[in-house]
Amino acid sequence: MSDPTLTAAQRATLRHVRTVALRDRAAALAVVGRALAGTGVRLEPERLVGAIGRQGRVTLNFHPDRLRADGRTVAEALATEGVYRSQFETRISNGGLTAYPGGDRDRWEERLFGGAYQRPGVGPAQRPKYGGLNLLDHPDGACPRFGSCHLRLRPEVLTRTTFCFGEFARSGEPLHAALIGRAAASVVTEPGRWADRGPAADTLQQLKQLWHVLVRFGVPYEV
């Protein structure tokens, strides 16, 4: 039975994601299996995914003192409204400010959720909220880069949560060495495009780490 608290757009999103997940399940489990084998962990991918479903907790990191457009801090708004709002509503973020029609975040969500949130009549409040899977139970939450405080969501939220490994890449293009190389060059030649991610040196270090992960766990791919 569907959750009566969800809107039509949110239910359509879950149907779309579930269809894609079932279609790609075998390939995804194979990727997880290769990653586990590379670390020496002897565990079937299905058991790992099942454990995440039973024990994983999602956290939403935020900066409590960040000011909203109405002059209130995020903490004040949370205490007053009891609602965690997305960038489409608040227009503030510790990441890229692209939550508007045609912006990067809007296009990500259109690809990821089958265009459910681009339908007529779907308001900003229906958009998804972004957090992280805090598998290791870090006291600062899963994504402290996005805020010094975090909300810890209840386990039942997992049933309506969509998980992505890493950041979003361009539609239809797998993550490969050439793409990382272009990104590193862009950090130097187009620093404005990466300013929301922090100092350029930190961004380049993150790309370097991503390169090492790709070398260790990636598979041959012809560009």
Side-chain angles (χ1 to χ4, degrees), residues 63 66 87 91-100 104-105 108 144-147 167-168 186-187 190-204 206:
H63 287 297
R66 185 68 59 85
Q87 185 188 132
R91 303 297 182 184
I92 59 175
S93 173
N94 199 43
L97 294 171
T98 60
Y100 52 84
D104 283 347
R105 187 178 295 261
W108 293 342
R145 184 176 86 81
F146 293 106
E167 298 281 357
F168 293 101
S186 175
V187 172
E190 304 172 286
R193 295 184 61 184
W194 301 82
D196 63 283
R197 302 192 66 87
D202 291 350
T203 302
L204 289 171
Q206 292 168 4

Side-chain angles (χ1 to χ4, degrees), residues 26-98:
L29 287 175
V31 172
V32 175
R34 288 196 297 271
L36 289 174
T39 60
V41 175
R42 298 184 179 278
L43 183 68
E44 294 82 3
E46 293 87 346
R47 290 186 59 193
L48 175 63
V49 174
I52 291 173
R54 292 189 302 272
Q55 302 176 27
R57 296 294 291 272
V58 173
T59 58
L60 308 179
N61 282 78
F62 64 94
H63 287 297
D65 55 349
R66 185 68 59 85
L67 289 177
R68 293 177 27 144
D70 59 9
R72 293 181 298 169
T73 65
V74 170
E76 289 172 334
L78 278 172
T80 302
E81 302 172 358
V83 177
Y84 184 90
R85 301 189 182 279
S86 78
Q87 185 188 132
F88 281 92
E89 297 177 272
T90 65
R91 303 297 182 184
I92 59 175
S93 173
N94 199 43
L97 294 171
T98 60

Side-chain angles (χ1 to χ4, degrees), residues 51-177:
I52 291 173
R54 292 189 302 272
Q55 302 176 27
R57 296 294 291 272
V58 173
T59 58
L60 308 179
N61 282 78
F62 64 94
H63 287 297
D65 55 349
R66 185 68 59 85
L67 289 177
R68 293 177 27 144
D70 59 9
R72 293 181 298 169
T73 65
V74 170
E76 289 172 334
L78 278 172
T80 302
E81 302 172 358
V83 177
Y84 184 90
R85 301 189 182 279
S86 78
Q87 185 188 132
F88 281 92
E89 297 177 272
T90 65
R91 303 297 182 184
I92 59 175
S93 173
N94 199 43
L97 294 171
T98 60
Y100 52 84
D104 283 347
R105 187 178 295 261
D106 183 54
R107 289 185 283 112
W108 293 342
E109 293 184 357
E110 184 174 15
R111 294 196 302 266
L112 187 61
F113 303 123
Y117 297 113
Q118 283 69 31
R119 296 176 181 177
V122 178
Q126 299 184 51
R127 294 276 188 159
K129 313 304 187 287
Y130 291 84
L133 184 62
N134 195 14
L135 280 179
L136 300 181
D137 200 25
H138 290 298
D140 295 330
C143 306
R145 184 176 86 81
F146 293 106
S148 55
C149 292
H150 69 273
L151 300 176
R152 183 177 171 90
L153 304 188
R154 295 176 179 175
E156 53 265 32
V157 175
L158 289 172
T159 61
R160 58 178 189 269
T161 301
T162 301
F163 295 99
C164 296
F165 180 72
E167 298 281 357
F168 293 101
R170 291 192 296 177
S171 178
E173 183 171 7
L175 180 64
H176 52 75

